[in-house]
Amino acid sequence: MATDYDAIFKAYDVRGTVGDQIDADGARAIGGAFARFTAASGARAVLVGRDMRPEGEEFAAAFGDGAIDHGVDVVDVGLCATDMLYYASGTLNLPGAVFTASHNPAGYNGIKMCGTGAAPISADSGLGAIKAMAIAGPDPAAAKGIRTTRNLLSGYVDHVRSFVDLDALSPLLVVADTANGMGGLVVPAVFDGLPLVLDHLYPELDGTFPNHPADPLQSENLRDLQDRVLAVGADIGLAFDGDADRVFLVDETARPVSGSLTTAIIARSILARDPGATVIHNLICSRTVPEVIAEGHGTAVRTRVGHSYIKQAMAETGAVFGGEHSGHYYFRDNFRADSGLIAALVVLEAISRHPSGLADLVSDLDRYAASGELNTVVEDAAAVIERVATAYADADQDRLDGLTVNLGDWWFNLRPSNTEPLLRLNLEAPTPDEVQERVAEVQALID
């Protein structure tokens, strides 16, 4: 069946179900389009990698064939985590593509693409043009490109380790659940030889995900990690998604640590080394984050949700770090790209310097209660947002991304999904009871 380009081209990547939405022929067409798009900016070679999903090797090869047919060389980096592809793109100054469907279940695949130096490519910065060229069909070059292979794992390991003082690391017992995803390749490689003790759950690379989905944002997928942390008396649990560019934390009591609080931990650590630096956070992060940045004498910059906005703001401000509540953590010296493993090492260094443990470290930062992201199906998102805005007309509001309303001791953001008829509500208040009360209040207006 032909590739369904309208279905698979999303706001930030390409993603869909294998066979009925994306197939090898589609991968070849997109590879040719990517080659033409990047060649227009002067690139004469592209990087191609893949995760462990069953069809990844076939799709990556087809993508590379499409690029080669259009006169562009292909550097095949083989199995890799997404942040490893970003490292390769930044180090070799080449555009790249990695076949992955991230946290999606078996049966999905897709492509994350970047420009030279790991520059983001999203719907408003190239994906639309690539889609149009893929649909239009091939325009082969007279002279074909060539394919070479390259193993970048050891260089990537050294790069990840460069973000921390290795001598400061304590012999912490770390449980890592890589959920049969690409963390199974990169986590043990980074930990090898460090004074950390790794207890590894589901290390085998298996894109059928036989144990549980590689989506740590869903609480049920943390249960094995939480049980193991308690069973072995670990200092911390790390949960990686399928392509290992995101990490989620579980403390020594098995309590999950939110992406906002993880952002705060990393920001505090980085500002201790680089006082006065700028740190980016998206607008659904907890108020704790800008508070911690201010306490560290840093400058907080608030952005829209989404990696392209974070990376753009980092480029414009020279920010040293950026964090999202969803578990993406971006580092200036990682070509402004996100990395779950760099974030994990920075947290492990912070715990090593805080002998009372992660739970105690988090207790100072756990200042507010949050609703989490609550989704509501709506027919007209814009009309609902205007209705809610009118109801809170006397409060401070902004439209940076959807509607954010600040009501003193509580606030909320309401924004539409990029791809579905949904409104997403995030709300924060001083206590869980107040969160429940305020959510009911806002939800009544939405409904």
Side-chain angles (χ1 to χ4, degrees):
M1 184 174 181
T3 291
D4 186 344
Y5 295 102
D6 288 334
I8 66 174
F9 272 81
K10 311 294 187 183
Y12 303 117
D13 59 14
V14 170
R15 200 175 304 186
T17 49
V18 174
D20 61 333
Q21 291 184 334
I22 184 169
D23 58 13
D25 289 339
R28 183 177 293 106
I30 296 169
F34 183 69
R36 292 158 64 190
F37 175 78
T38 55
S41 300
R44 291 295 174 260
V46 297
L47 298 154
V48 181
R50 59 185 171 85
D51 71 10
M52 65 292 137
R53 291 171 188 264
E55 59 289 330
E57 186 172 7
E58 178 192 8
F59 284 10
F63 183 97
D65 289 343
I68 287 168
D69 287 344
H70 288 79
V72 172
D73 294 341
V74 168
V75 181
D76 183 350
V77 299
L79 286 165
C80 68
T82 292
D83 68 330
M84 190 172 161
L85 189 279
Y86 293 149
Y87 158 77
S89 175
T91 302
L92 301 176
N93 204 36
L94 291 174
V98 58
F99 275 80
T100 180
S102 186
H103 61 278
N104 285 114
Y108 281 79
N109 213 319
I111 319 168
K112 291 184 177 180
M113 293 173 259
C114 65
T116 56
I121 294 178
S122 57
D124 55 0
S125 61
L127 279 183
I130 293 169
K131 175 185 174 182
M133 285 188 284
I135 293 172
D139 183 17
K144 290 189 175 185
I146 61 171
R147 190 192 314 264
T148 57
T149 61
R150 189 154 182 172
N151 187 335
L152 295 168
L153 182 59
S154 63
Y156 165 80
V157 167
D158 291 341
H159 173 68
V160 170
R161 291 178 174 184
S162 72
F163 284 80
V164 299
D165 178 1
L166 300 179
D167 292 333
L169 295 175
S170 300
L172 302 170
L173 177 52
V174 181
V175 179
D177 182 350
T178 55
N180 301 108
M182 287 312 303
L185 173 70
V186 295
V187 169
V190 168
F191 276 53
D192 185 40
L194 298 181
L196 303 164
V197 180
L198 177 62
D199 186 85
H200 199 164
L201 286 177
Y202 314 132
E204 302 82 11
L205 302 186
D206 187 343
T208 68
F209 306 110
N211 294 289
H212 64 74
D215 183 5
L217 194 58
Q218 306 304 318
S219 59
E220 61 269 21
N221 296 327
L222 295 176
R223 288 173 188 157
D224 290 353
L225 177 64
Q226 291 170 303
D227 290 345
R228 186 66 178 172
V229 164
L230 293 177
V232 302
D235 296 290
I236 186 174
L238 305 174
F240 292 87
D241 66 350
D243 60 337
D245 63 346
R246 286 191 297 166
V247 68
F248 290 81
L249 311 182
V250 171
D251 72 19
E252 66 270 33
T253 71
R255 182 183 179 190
V257 179
S258 74
S260 285
L261 299 188
T262 303
T263 296
I265 292 170
I266 298 171
R268 178 181 280 175
S269 298
I270 288 176
L271 288 169
R273 293 196 299 265
D274 195 355
T278 298
V279 175
I280 308 293
H281 65 94
N282 72 22
L283 51 70
I284 63 171
C285 280
S286 168
R287 280 179 174 170
T288 296
V289 174
E291 289 173 1
V292 166
I293 295 168
E295 290 160 8
H297 306 289
T299 300
V301 174
R302 178 172 169 268
T303 72
R304 295 181 63 179
V305 174
H307 78 101
S308 60
Y309 302 113
I310 292 270
K311 292 173 180 175
Q312 179 181 349
M314 291 182 75
E316 292 172 350
T317 64
V320 67
F321 170 64
E324 292 196 275
H325 186 75
S326 58
H328 287 283
Y329 309 108
Y330 307 81
F331 300 85
R332 178 192 61 200
D333 297 334
N334 188 46
F335 315 103
R336 297 188 291 273
D338 43 330
S339 171
L341 257 176
I342 293 173
L345 275 193
V346 173
V347 170
L348 291 170
E349 183 186 11
I351 301 171
S352 297
R353 297 182 185 277
H354 189 84
S356 298
L358 178 58
D360 184 68
L361 185 64
V362 169
S363 66
D364 174 52
L365 303 172
D366 198 6
R367 304 170 183 179
Y368 306 98
S371 65
E373 191 155 86
L374 306 174
N375 294 314
T376 304
V377 176
V378 296
E379 290 187 6
D380 188 342
V384 175
I385 287 175
E386 293 308 318
R387 182 166 70 240
V388 174
T390 299
Y392 294 102
D394 294 335
D396 291 335
Q397 299 184 7
D398 72 65
R399 300 297 183 104
L400 177 63
D401 190 351
L403 170 70
T404 301
V405 180
N406 184 346
L407 295 117
D409 63 348
W410 68 286
W411 65 272
F412 69 89
N413 172 265
L414 191 63
R415 69 188 206 286
S417 165
N418 285 316
T419 57
E420 301 171 274
L422 298 175
L423 272 179
R424 307 192 190 279
L425 172 65
N426 285 270
L427 186 148
E428 188 173 60
T431 67
D433 286 346
E434 288 178 79
V435 166
Q436 187 174 357
E437 176 186 347
R438 298 303 186 183
V439 165
E441 176 184 317
V442 178
Q443 193 66 52
L445 291 167
I446 295 171
D447 295 339

